[in-house]
Amino acid sequence: MKKILIETYGCQMNKADSELVAGVMLPEGYTNTENHEEADVILLNTCAVREGAEDRILGILAHYRKYKEKKPNLVLGVIGCMAQNLKEELIHKRPWVDLVMGPDSYRDLPKAIQQLQSADHEPLVIVRRDRFENYEEIFPVRGEGFNAWVSIMRGCDNFCTFCIVPFTRGRERSRKSSNILREVRLAVEQGYQEITLLGQNVNSWKDEESGERFADLIRAVGQIEGVKRVRFTSPHPKDFPDELLYAMRENPNVLVPHIHLPLQAGNTEVLQRMNRGYSKEEYLKLVDHIREILPDVAFSTDIIVGFSGESYDQFQDTLDVVRRVRFSGAFMFKYSRRPYTKAEHMPDDVSEEEKQRRLEELIELQRSIEAEIVQEWIGKETEVMLEGVSPKREEEWIGRIPQNRPCIVPAACGQVGDLVKVRIVDARAMTLVGKPL
Ligand code: SAH
Ligand code: SF4
Ligand code: F3S
């Protein structure tokens, strides 16, 4: 049996895609390995969203030359968004790479690898754009754990001016409801208890045949026997449907009250230049509206500092929104200018030092808010889904509350995937400590 090693970088979409790639390769007689020395094929599934993400992969590839030297017939491939972005350029930069393949070409993997193994083959660059894939009938081979990532759509048509994703992943298209539900049922049979539905903008998911929308889909997923929790990422603030909130309110134990609502920036002018489709006030109004319907909801977000033309005053609006919304978690980034995007032609005029300063100011504010949120949990009752042994103390287990915050519990209270009712009795940094009731 030949061995394949798949390393995943970037977002959850890439995690799901790596499982899809395993779903393409394992039926061809491959087994997964984590050992670089024994692998016959090494694939890096890569991200292109910021320059730093690509630099990191180039660094890793410099390092991986040694595996090629030891085992000349090893196939070293770069797949995913960075492959689609750089194409041939990647081979020029790292000539020992054998294969460059974009996210719409994974069906061609077995054939390409066979070709590369059969003779002294020139590197292959396969970044097709004539077909936008949904991989409808390919069943992913998932890793260990309790959560199954289920991709419900691919691509993105929003063209936020800073973002490369519409260029690496192509036009937006939804998978069919019947295939998604079948995949969820199978995942449950395989023992996964939590389902996370993935798309660049889940609000625009639509079943072309039935006309069903995302709220219908999430209701249906929540009703599948054996599904204990359903999460999703990400909805776009510009078109958030009330129906989704009603679905979450009807079934709060399963459709848990956590919403990742990417803000990107707090200033309306900056948001306009980003082509986000909402103003500061509209974002805040949406948050208030969601909280009226789902009082227990926790929000998390993504924020970019130092976008083209952002003044320090405009950055203050970002801090203002962060203070008002009180996000329970945030991914915060310095703006990175990307090829193909509209903002590639706008000046990248906030200096690196200034971006760093703003990022630190934002992180500090977010950290202090999160610390308060953690303290507010103490004394409350909630439910933890157990994920496994705590990485820090073997005698304890770790899990998550519905709002997605990690929570530690004593070990002797269940198995992976069990829901345990707890009272929060303490907090360690940003992690809650729960006592089973
Ligand atoms: N579709 C998702 C975002 C996927 S990219 C959504 O809209 O929620 C993940 C995050 O990376 C984005 O939300 C954004 O905050 C960040 N990002 C994207 N392009 C970036 C860039 N050029 N520079 C810095 N951060 C960026
Ligand atoms: Fe990028 Fe915007 Fe699409 Fe998200 S919605 S993937 S940020 S273009
Ligand atoms: Fe995800 Fe990075 Fe591609 S964020 S969609 S892997 S560019």
Side-chain angles (χ1 to χ4, degrees), residues 2-20:
K2 296 212 164 183
K3 299 217 157 113
I4 184 166
L5 185 152
I6 309 170
E7 273 177 28
T8 311
Y9 302 87
C11 64
Q12 289 111 336
M13 210 71 72
N14 262 15
K15 282 193 192 133
D17 273 9
S18 289
E19 296 173 343
L20 200 69

Side-chain angles (χ1 to χ4, degrees), residues 285-343:
K285 223 168 112 187
L286 174 62
V287 165
D288 286 345
H289 177 67
I290 295 175
R291 282 198 165 125
E292 260 166 44
I293 298 174
L294 304 172
D296 293 333
V297 76
F299 290 103
S300 57
T301 200
D302 292 348
I303 297 172
I304 298 174
V305 302
F307 182 63
S308 173
E310 185 189 66
S311 68
Y312 188 70
D313 268 2
Q314 290 176 327
F315 166 64
Q316 292 303 314
D317 277 323
T318 297
L319 299 181
D320 189 43
V321 175
V322 168
R323 271 189 215 104
R324 293 209 212 176
V325 176
R326 304 185 77 239
F327 295 105
S328 85
F331 300 102
M332 296 162 277
F333 311 104
K334 289 184 273 187
Y335 170 57
S336 164
R337 181 148 64 168
R338 304 307 290 135
Y340 307 115
T341 62
K342 268 223 169 115

Side-chain angles (χ1 to χ4, degrees), residues 189-205:
E189 277 170 35
Q190 291 176 340
Y192 298 92
Q193 288 103 339
E194 181 180 88
I195 303 294
T196 305
L197 304 175
L198 294 178
Q200 297 296 354
N201 177 10
V202 295
N203 295 344
S204 52
W205 180 87

Side-chain angles (χ1 to χ4, degrees), residues 156 158-160 162-163 165-166 200 236 276:
C156 184
N158 286 315
F159 292 95
C160 302
F162 53 79
C163 185
V165 172
Q200 297 296 354
H236 197 299
R276 287 292 290 177

Side-chain angles (χ1 to χ4, degrees), residues 387-399:
E387 295 182 5
V389 174
S390 151
K392 290 195 184 131
R393 299 189 196 182
E394 258 183 41
E395 69 279 13
E396 292 174 335
W397 276 46
I398 191 147

